[in-house]
Amino acid sequence: MTRQPTVLDVAEIAGVSRQTVSNVLNSPHIVRPDTRERVEEAIKQLGYRPHASARRLRTRKSSTIGIRLDPVTNGISGSVLDRFLHALTEQADAFGLRVLLFTARDPDDEIAQFERLLDGADVDGFVLTSTTYEDPRTEWLLEHDAPFVTFGRPWGAADVYDPRHRWVDVDGHHGVAEATRGMLELGVSHVAYLGWPPPSGTGDERRLGWRDTMLAAPGLGLREPDLDALEIACEDGVEQGSTAVRALLARGVRVDAVVCASDSLALGALMVLGTSVPIVGYDNTPVAAAVKLSSVEQPLEQAAGAALELFRAVGPRGDSFDPDGSANDPDHRLLRPRVFWR
Amino acid sequence: MTRQPTVLDVAEIAGVSRQTVSNVLNSPHIVRPDTRERVEEAIKQLGYRPHASARRLRTRKSSTIGIRLDPVTNGISGSVLDRFLHALTEQADAFGLRVLLFTARDPDDEIAQFERLLDGADVDGFVLTSTTYEDPRTEWLLEHDAPFVTFGRPWGAADVYDPRHRWVDVDGHHGVAEATRGMLELGVSHVAYLGWPPPSGTGDERRLGWRDTMLAAPGLGLREPDLDALEIACEDGVEQGSTAVRALLARGVRVDAVVCASDSLALGALMVLGTSVPIVGYDNTPVAAAVKLSSVEQPLEQAAGAALELFRAVGPRGDSFDPDGSANDPDHRLLRPRVFWR
């Protein structure tokens, strides 16, 4: 690479001191207009650009967000977080932010990485995905006053709307309720639910979306015990889904339709029930599209944009924050998914 | 966040000048041993860590690799590059390197990003994925003497083993040949090939893996025209795969088995042929596992490690380079995939 012009080159061409060039870059108002013009002309002539590390050192800001790359799972829904990361990286530029990746074996390791990246001023803060009950990571970040935004609510927190913990999330209750209503509109009554074992922040909420809708449906006449018989939980996975559906059928339960907590489970159900029984999955993964499964789609582009907006607004409340209609309050965004019917 | 200790705090505690602290950090051999000890003691006491940006400014090295996050595709094989990125990020730490993400709309936009990131010293260089014929990106990087390694060979280059273009790749010819041999060992003769239209670096090579194996198979007696009838090409996709297989069958061709250029195509073939005809896909994606398709698996962890090794070795040949047995030459690594039979 040819040598980049330095601040000294600029100073020489402009016939000023290094300090003057530095002043033009950092405090132009203290420099005489004619001198400033000469320096600016030299900067332009040389194509000089202030070194990014120098700029960051000066501002003590890296304009960089750290994001942990989740471990690759064998599930087919892992693609959702990858899509969120894509959307976030794509939009970061417009916010003047960059994305630095790291990996971690477990939450403790992730916390060690937080510390290292903050200490080195490598990042200004973090966007976290996959929040859990009593998440030790957000506790650590709050204790250390480190800027962060989570994609996911602080499950189990005393105050989910704590202004110190900014988050963006997708309303899974709403998505599954809409899927369940869509099934009931087909004229069927026994809509089964295939979900995950509690406790699971996202899982419990999706399950309630189905349950509340079934209980509220006019004329269905299903009561709590009927619903208990219509639902089954298993770990996420295609085979697990198939096994669970077989177990549900073995109970002698009538199954008119199935709403699932994930596309993996939905694919498992599809492999047992075939296309005779309508099935809705969750996350609208490429696999759902490939096998023509209806599925709940999360608005990931919108979620990424909201996360960046909240991240930029972290710290003392500034003027930069511009809440839009979808906000519940300035620090939290609960977005609505929609069912992609096929 | 509590204020980080600075070099001035260290200087004060140690009773030396700021320059002396700087000397201890950067040129310890020029500092008197007793002074050095005092400064080191103060650094330890304060928990002072040199600011990463300052370190980078000093060394003019960011120890950061820029990687473009590929656009999200609807295909199911996009996960391969995500898995490569995961493996690379996981292993980068051990090489003292970090991963900065960016996105780009097209090759021109990607080149503009290269320029911006290099100008700002945000990255030392790049790891590129998805190389194409006459790739304008690698041409630009070579012209500008910017360090890079590609995951993928320089398709169509006059010299694929040009030492200035370091690459790691997976031998698709070998993978498809092994898949084809596995099919022939089942005792069948009419192994069809479902691939992509030329020109495609990876596609053409995979196709030849099938073709060369079929021609060389003892006792098969298939000639060029027989092979022409047994192969069909289409764009990647599940539906495209189904349509192509139907077209192949409509020709009246006998199909005993199918080898495919991707899992998407294989899933498309599976949806037409069912499990009666053995099918092998490529990339061993989660979907292949879910529907129990055999598939060629790329050694992505090994590819990521090799890419990092080559990246670190970019520039004047140093002592740090330690070629292992899998190398073809010090600058290029062609790794072998294996068939994951199900």
Side-chain angles (χ1 to χ4, degrees):
Chain A
M1 229 170 322
T2 56
R3 181 172 153 278
Q4 298 285 332
T6 68
V7 76
L8 282 175
D9 297 326
V10 174
E12 197 179 314
I13 297 268
V16 299
S17 72
R18 183 200 162 94
Q19 186 56 49
T20 303
V21 176
S22 177
N23 289 345
V24 170
L25 293 169
N26 301 313
S27 318
H29 57 280
I30 65 166
V31 184
R32 280 176 38 174
D34 57 331
T35 311
R36 196 165 76 210
E37 242 168 64
R38 263 209 334 277
V39 171
E40 281 166 357
E41 188 50 48
I43 285 173
K44 218 165 125 189
Q45 188 187 327
L46 285 168
Y48 169 77
R49 303 202 197 193
H51 190 278
S53 295
R55 182 170 10 92
R56 268 171 228 129
L57 186 60
R58 217 162 48 230
T59 59
R60 281 262 150 191
K61 279 212 130 189
S62 67
S63 297
T64 304
I65 308 176
I67 298 201
R68 184 184 75 128
L69 202 52
D70 284 308
V72 177
T73 59
N74 271 335
I76 57 184
S77 293
S79 65
V80 170
L81 292 176
D82 283 333
R83 278 161 58 204
F84 175 75
L85 176 64
H86 273 263
L88 197 88
T89 305
E90 260 165 28
Q91 294 177 53
D93 233 19
F95 285 86
L97 292 166
R98 302 171 321 160
V99 175
L100 188 74
L101 288 186
F102 63 99
T103 58
R105 288 180 306 278
D106 52 44
D108 282 346
D109 188 30
E110 190 167 351
I111 288 168
Q113 298 272 21
F114 289 163
E115 204 159 5
R116 212 165 58 107
L117 291 168
L118 289 169
D119 269 5
D122 287 318
V123 301
D124 295 337
F126 303 91
V127 170
L128 278 70
T129 55
S130 312
T131 45
T132 61
Y133 273 107
E134 290 170 5
D135 203 315
R137 304 171 304 161
T138 49
E139 281 172 25
W140 188 92
L141 291 166
L142 282 172
E143 261 169 42
H144 291 77
D145 230 354
F148 72 97
V149 171
T150 62
F151 178 35
R153 273 159 280 178
W155 303 107
D159 176 14
V160 77
Y161 290 101
D162 181 343
R164 297 178 313 144
H165 182 148
R166 298 186 188 218
W167 54 256
V168 53
D169 204 359
V170 175
D171 188 346
H173 187 285
H174 178 87
V176 170
E178 195 186 313
T180 307
R181 273 194 299 275
M183 292 305 200
L184 292 173
E185 278 164 17
L186 296 174
V188 304
S189 59
H190 286 65
V191 181
Y193 183 72
L194 179 53
W196 302 317
S200 150
T202 47
D204 299 350
E205 157 176 285
R206 290 179 194 177
R207 171 180 170 271
L208 278 180
W210 163 78
R211 214 169 163 100
D212 292 347
T213 306
M214 293 295 281
L215 282 173
L220 261 196
L222 292 175
R223 285 164 316 163
E224 295 281 358
D226 303 315
L227 290 182
D228 292 346
L230 268 172
E231 72 166 295
I232 191 158
C234 63
E235 295 299 326
D236 199 53
V238 178
E239 276 189 53
Q240 290 86 335
S242 291
T243 305
V245 168
R246 275 190 217 101
L248 199 62
L249 296 175
R251 285 185 199 162
V253 177
R254 176 178 145 197
V255 173
D256 298 335
V258 188
V259 172
C260 306
S262 76
D263 277 355
S264 297
L265 294 178
L267 183 57
L270 179 73
M271 290 174 90
V272 172
L273 298 167
T275 52
S276 57
V277 172
I279 300 168
V280 188
Y282 200 106
D283 276 341
N284 197 24
T285 59
V287 180
V291 301
K292 299 197 174 60
L293 265 177
S294 296
S295 189
V296 178
E297 183 169 75
Q298 303 202 43
L300 296 172
E301 310 251 316
Q302 212 187 328
L308 289 166
E309 221 163 69
L310 293 175
F311 186 85
R312 207 178 43 177
V314 166
R317 299 298 158 75
D319 301 330
S320 69
F321 186 71
D322 175 30
D324 66 34
S326 67
N328 303 80
D329 68 49
D331 304 311
H332 310 102
R333 307 286 180 94
L334 190 59
L335 308 175
R336 290 200 154 176
R338 67 185 192 105
V339 184
F340 200 100
W341 295 105
R342 288 190 177 92
Chain B
M1 228 168 320
T2 56
R3 183 174 149 278
Q4 299 285 333
T6 66
V7 74
L8 281 174
D9 298 327
V10 174
E12 197 179 313
I13 298 268
V16 300
S17 71
R18 183 200 161 94
Q19 185 56 51
T20 303
V21 177
S22 175
N23 289 344
V24 169
L25 292 169
N26 300 314
S27 319
H29 58 280
I30 65 165
V31 184
R32 282 174 40 176
D34 57 332
T35 311
R36 196 164 75 210
E37 241 168 64
R38 261 203 342 273
V39 171
E40 280 166 355
E41 188 50 48
I43 285 173
K44 219 166 127 188
Q45 188 186 324
L46 285 168
Y48 169 78
R49 301 203 197 190
H51 191 277
S53 296
R55 183 169 12 90
R56 270 172 225 129
L57 186 60
R58 216 162 48 231
T59 58
R60 283 262 150 188
K61 279 211 133 191
S62 67
S63 297
T64 303
I65 308 176
I67 298 199
R68 185 184 75 129
L69 201 52
D70 283 309
V72 177
T73 59
N74 272 332
I76 56 185
S77 293
S79 65
V80 170
L81 292 176
D82 282 333
R83 279 159 60 206
F84 175 74
L85 177 64
H86 273 263
L88 196 88
T89 305
E90 261 165 27
Q91 295 177 52
D93 234 18
F95 285 86
L97 291 167
R98 301 170 323 158
V99 175
L100 188 74
L101 288 186
F102 63 98
T103 58
R105 289 181 305 278
D106 53 44
D108 281 346
D109 188 29
E110 190 167 350
I111 288 168
Q113 298 273 21
F114 289 164
E115 203 160 6
R116 212 166 59 107
L117 292 168
L118 289 170
D119 269 4
D122 288 316
V123 302
D124 295 338
F126 303 90
V127 170
L128 277 70
T129 56
S130 312
T131 45
T132 61
Y133 273 107
E134 289 172 4
D135 202 317
R137 305 172 304 162
T138 49
E139 280 173 23
W140 189 92
L141 291 166
L142 283 172
E143 260 168 41
H144 291 77
D145 229 355
F148 72 95
V149 172
T150 62
F151 178 35
R153 273 158 280 177
W155 303 108
D159 177 13
V160 78
Y161 289 101
D162 181 342
R164 297 178 313 144
H165 183 147
R166 298 187 187 218
W167 53 257
V168 52
D169 204 357
V170 174
D171 188 347
H173 187 285
H174 178 85
V176 170
E178 196 185 311
T180 307
R181 273 193 300 273
M183 291 306 198
L184 292 173
E185 277 164 17
L186 296 173
V188 303
S189 59
H190 287 63
V191 180
Y193 183 72
L194 178 53
W196 301 318
S200 151
T202 47
D204 299 350
E205 156 177 282
R206 290 179 195 178
R207 170 179 171 271
L208 278 180
W210 163 78
R211 213 171 164 100
D212 292 346
T213 307
M214 293 295 280
L215 282 174
L220 261 196
L222 292 176
R223 285 163 316 163
E224 295 282 354
D226 303 315
L227 291 181
D228 292 345
L230 268 172
E231 73 167 293
I232 191 157
C234 63
E235 293 301 325
D236 199 51
V238 178
E239 276 189 55
Q240 289 87 334
S242 291
T243 304
V245 168
R246 275 191 217 102
L248 199 62
L249 296 176
R251 283 186 202 161
V253 178
R254 175 178 145 196
V255 174
D256 298 336
V258 188
V259 172
C260 306
S262 77
D263 277 355
S264 296
L265 294 178
L267 183 57
L270 179 73
M271 291 176 88
V272 171
L273 299 168
T275 52
S276 57
V277 173
I279 299 168
V280 188
Y282 200 105
D283 276 341
N284 198 21
T285 59
V287 179
V291 301
K292 298 199 173 60
L293 265 176
S294 297
S295 190
V296 178
E297 183 168 75
Q298 304 201 41
L300 296 173
E301 311 251 314
Q302 211 187 329
L308 289 165
E309 221 163 69
L310 292 175
F311 186 84
R312 206 178 44 179
V314 166
R317 299 297 158 75
D319 300 332
S320 68
F321 186 73
D322 175 30
D324 68 31
S326 68
N328 303 79
D329 67 53
D331 304 311
H332 310 102
R333 306 286 180 95
L334 190 59
L335 308 174
R336 289 202 157 176
R338 68 185 190 105
V339 184
F340 200 101
W341 295 104
R342 288 191 176 90

